Amino acid sequence: MSLARYLARLGYGPRKACERLIAGQQVRSASGAVLRDGDPFAHDDVRVDGAPLDPPPGAVVLLHKPVGYVCSTRDRPPLVYDLVPPRWLVRTPVLATVGRLDADTSGLLLLTDDGPLNHQLTSPRWHLPKGYDVTLADPLRGDEAERFASGTLRLQGDDEPVRAAILTAHDGGQVRLTISEGRYHQVRRMFAAVGHHVTALHRATFGPLDLTGVNIGSWRVLAADEVRALREAAQSAARAAKGAR
Ligand code: URA
């Protein structure tokens, strides 16, 4: 693919504008050599106005979502896309969120332009565990963990019971609920089903990933071995769930 087309797909502007960036010598290699449109290039070696390129096609980005931001490309702001460079919204294909977190939920959110991977991580057939730190209005009574683990808990309006989930007590009155589905408002609805009101919700883990080193509102691109581990975790969770049926 030509450099101008590549930059256009990454959202650096329409093809013509990217051709102008190149003609204006704003696109260079890391060593400062001017790149021309027909030149071979490697993503990591390209600089636009001295800055490295945005994540390459197929990247997976881990974002630490603050409360208040909406997981949508077009909704009432602020959107999670307000936390990343504006080019990310006009990339082809877009870096889409992997599932959603409610506006009033904080925590670990993945974005990727790898459609099959996104599908694999969100499809109900895959059972990747996700851990939520939950603050409740009232203390636990004692029967909640058993009810969540039973695999028979029904949420209002749903025909199927939710899959077994693990509840553990945490420091400072918080609890951690680990679920392996992604139903609408699932954690809040599960607690409502056992008579609790959730006052704060934070996704702390997604399969093997957590938020270590990523400040609230910040993001980082996953390394290739982290993406591999994520795929493997999804595959082994799906196999385990199939074996249990
Ligand atoms: N469960 C919820 O209730 N909300 C979220 O954002 C995620 C899981």
Side-chain angles (χ1 to χ4, degrees):
M1 189 186 302
S2 78
L3 185 53
R5 179 143 184 257
Y6 190 73
L7 293 176
R9 288 182 68 97
L10 288 180
Y12 283 82
R15 174 92 174 256
K16 288 277 172 232
C18 293
E19 285 171 0
R20 281 197 296 277
L21 280 178
I22 294 168
Q25 305 195 343
Q26 289 168 268
V27 186
R28 296 178 181 242
S29 72
S31 64
V34 170
L35 290 173
R36 313 239 165 247
D37 204 11
D39 290 345
F41 62 91
H43 181 99
D44 290 346
D45 189 44
V46 179
R47 302 287 179 274
V48 175
D49 293 329
L53 291 182
D54 289 343
V60 182
V61 173
L62 182 155
L63 173 77
H64 189 160
K65 178 192 172 302
V67 165
Y69 286 76
V70 180
C71 291
S72 166
T73 54
R74 38 162 185 247
D75 207 317
R76 196 133 44 91
L79 307 178
V80 289
Y81 290 95
D82 295 331
L83 300 164
V84 298
R87 286 184 298 271
W88 290 23
L89 253 185
V90 290
R91 282 169 68 119
T92 320
V94 74
L95 279 164
T97 65
V98 176
R100 287 170 174 229
L101 289 176
D102 303 335
D104 49 0
T105 300
S106 60
L108 197 164
L109 180 71
L110 298 178
L111 298 103
T112 187
D113 59 0
D114 182 333
L117 177 64
N118 195 332
H119 176 73
Q120 191 177 28
L121 296 174
T122 49
S123 149
R125 284 193 306 116
W126 304 82
H127 303 252
L128 203 57
K130 283 150 250 159
Y132 291 85
D133 290 340
V134 188
T135 310
L136 298 171
D138 298 301
L140 293 175
R141 292 179 307 268
D143 63 332
E144 297 89 343
E146 202 178 320
R147 293 182 68 189
F148 287 150
S150 69
T152 59
L153 186 73
R154 279 180 196 279
L155 304 186
Q156 206 177 10
D158 287 5
D159 295 335
E160 291 289 312
V162 284
R163 287 192 195 114
I166 301 164
L167 181 70
T168 45
H170 222 30
D171 290 343
Q174 268 192 345
V175 295
R176 163 81 54 97
L177 183 66
T178 303
I179 61 172
S180 56
E181 293 170 281
R183 298 191 196 181
Y184 179 67
H185 288 176
Q186 182 165 342
V187 174
R188 292 175 205 275
R189 289 166 68 218
M190 283 178 73
F191 277 99
V194 296
H196 280 286
H197 177 64
V198 172
T199 57
L201 185 57
H202 173 83
R203 181 155 70 193
T205 65
F206 192 114
L209 302 169
D210 64 29
L211 285 165
T212 304
V214 184
N215 291 331
I216 190 150
S218 305
W219 54 270
R220 72 177 179 85
V221 180
L222 296 187
D225 61 337
E226 292 177 299
V227 177
R228 207 173 309 121
L230 188 60
R231 284 182 197 278
E232 282 168 9
Q235 280 156 5
S236 77
R239 272 196 303 274
K242 210 168 168 190
R245 279 204 294 271

